[in-house]
Amino acid sequence: MLREYEKLARECARDGVDHSRYLLRLIELELIDRERRTVERRIRAARFPAVKSFDTFDFTAIPGLNKMLVLELARCEYILRRENIIALGNSGTGKTHVALALGLAACQKGFTVAFTTAAALVNQLMEARDEKRLLKMQRDLAAVKLLIVDELGYVPLSPTGAELLFETFSQRYERGSTIVTSNLPFEDWTQVLGSERLTGALLDRLTHHVSILAMNGDSYRLKQSARRRAAGAEQNQATPVVDPDTGEITAT
Ligand code: ADP
Ligand code: MG
C-alpha cells in the first residue's frame, strides 16, 4: 500500500474517483499482491524439483492418458474430497510432469502441498525416528492437503522403511490427498514393500477413493532425443538415431 498509494491517488484524482473508492482500490491492490505472494510461498514450501504445468504438457504424446480426467483433476476438487491419485507407467511417460503440474495447480488453488520421492520420504522418516522426532514429522506430513510421493518402485524399501511409508499413507487416509507415481503395476508393489500383507493394507487405503492415471507409452525423453538426433543428422550425416520403440540405434 505504501508503494502504490501516491500513484493511485494521482490516478483517482485525475479520474474523479472519490475517497472511499480510492481506499477500496488501494486495498484490492494489496489483496491481489498478498494472494500472489502466498501462492509463491506455497510453491516454495512444496519443494518441487522443477515447476511444470499443463501448459507445457503435450497430451497427444500419450494417447492412452485420459485428458478429460487429468484436466478435471487440475481443478483440485478431489483435494476437497480427500481423494487420491495414482499414476502408473513406464519410465519417461510424464508421470512426474503430471504430478508436478497437479501440485502447482493445488498451490494456486490455495492448498498446501509437499513433494517428495518415496526413497527420500522413507529416508527422512527413518532419520526422524532415529532422532526421536518421528511424531512431529508424521504430524507435519498428515497436515499438508496434498502429499506427492514420486517414484515408488525404483528402490526396494527395508521392512522398517515400508512400515513407515504405510503409516504415512494410513495417517492421511480420508484426511488429505496423496498422489503416488510408480513404474510398477499394483501386482508388483510387493517387490518394493516386501510384505504381501502390508502391500494389501496399503493399497486398500490408497485406492479406496482414487483416480488412476494409466501412463504407459513411449518414453518422451527417448523420443525427444531421437528427434534431436534426427535433426542433427540432417546436417551431420553419421549421427546415430535411437528408435524410441525398439531402442535400436541406427546411423542415418
Ligand atoms: P516419468 O516421471 O514418467 O519418468 P517425466 O515426467 O520425468 O517422466 O518426463 C520426462 C521428461 O519428458 C520431462 O522433462 C517431462 O517434462 C517431459 N515430458 C514427458 N511427457 C511429456 C509430455 N507429454 N509433454 C511434454 N513434456 C513431457
Ligand atoms: Mg518420474
Side-chain angles (χ1 to χ4, degrees):
M1 285 173 82
L2 190 61
R3 205 169 49 227
E4 296 292 334
Y5 82 96
E6 278 184 323
K7 183 166 145 266
L8 192 65
R10 275 196 304 275
E11 283 170 18
C12 286
R14 188 194 59 206
D15 302 343
V17 174
D18 67 16
H19 274 87
S20 59
R21 285 264 140 203
Y22 162 63
L23 193 59
L24 184 65
R25 284 193 192 175
L26 189 61
I27 292 169
E28 275 171 350
L29 278 180
E30 170 69 15
L31 277 179
I32 292 167
D33 196 53
R34 277 191 190 190
E35 180 54 27
R36 185 184 53 76
R37 276 177 290 155
T38 313
V39 170
E40 278 171 10
R41 219 171 12 247
R42 267 187 230 116
I43 292 171
R44 271 198 307 276
R47 297 180 174 278
F48 297 124
V51 174
K52 295 201 180 181
S53 73
F54 287 116
D55 296 346
T56 56
F57 191 76
D58 175 12
F59 281 93
T60 63
I62 176 140
L65 179 64
N66 184 342
K67 179 178 175 181
M68 291 318 288
L69 173 61
V70 175
L71 294 182
E72 164 64 32
L73 292 171
R75 291 167 50 186
C76 299
E77 281 158 17
Y78 71 98
I79 302 179
L80 293 172
R81 298 192 298 266
R82 301 171 166 88
E83 295 175 359
N84 301 324
I85 300 173
I86 303 179
L88 298 176
N90 49 294
S91 181
T93 53
K95 296 182 299 298
T96 301
H97 190 134
V98 166
L100 286 168
L102 288 170
L104 184 66
C107 287
Q108 286 162 342
K109 288 256 152 74
F111 299 103
T112 51
V113 179
F115 185 102
T116 179
T117 64
L121 176 63
V122 164
N123 277 337
Q124 282 164 7
L125 284 164
M126 302 230 276
E127 229 173 77
R129 195 194 50 157
D130 293 345
E131 293 165 10
K132 305 216 185 310
R133 48 180 181 81
L134 182 60
L135 271 178
K136 161 120 183 32
M137 183 173 174
Q138 285 177 329
R139 263 204 300 271
D140 291 348
L141 280 171
V144 287
K145 294 288 178 209
L146 174 64
L147 175 68
I148 304 176
V149 181
D150 199 21
E151 297 188 348
L152 182 78
Y154 285 113
V155 188
L157 305 174
S158 67
T160 320
E163 223 160 276
L164 288 169
L165 188 69
F166 168 75
E167 271 178 32
T168 301
F169 289 158
S170 192
Q171 285 159 355
R172 293 187 62 73
Y173 175 63
E174 293 192 330
R175 259 183 248 157
S177 294
T178 307
I179 298 180
V180 177
T181 82
S182 178
N183 60 317
L184 297 178
F186 291 133
E187 58 266 28
D188 294 342
W189 282 29
T190 314
Q191 292 169 22
V192 181
L193 296 160
S195 134
E196 210 155 292
R197 193 182 42 81
L198 194 74
T199 307
L202 184 143
L203 279 177
D204 197 44
R205 281 155 183 78
L206 209 54
T207 61
H208 185 192
H209 310 285
V210 76
S211 298
I212 296 186
L213 304 178
M215 298 186 63
N216 270 307
D218 296 336
S219 164
Y220 194 83
R221 288 191 200 98
L222 220 52
K223 255 199 300 213
Q224 288 291 91
S225 55
R227 208 170 294 151
R228 267 198 305 276
R229 278 177 214 178
E234 278 164 22
Q235 290 137 11
N236 178 1
Q237 287 294 299
T239 311
V241 172
V242 183
D243 184 316
D245 297 319
T246 60
E248 216 171 276
I249 297 173
T250 46
T252 24

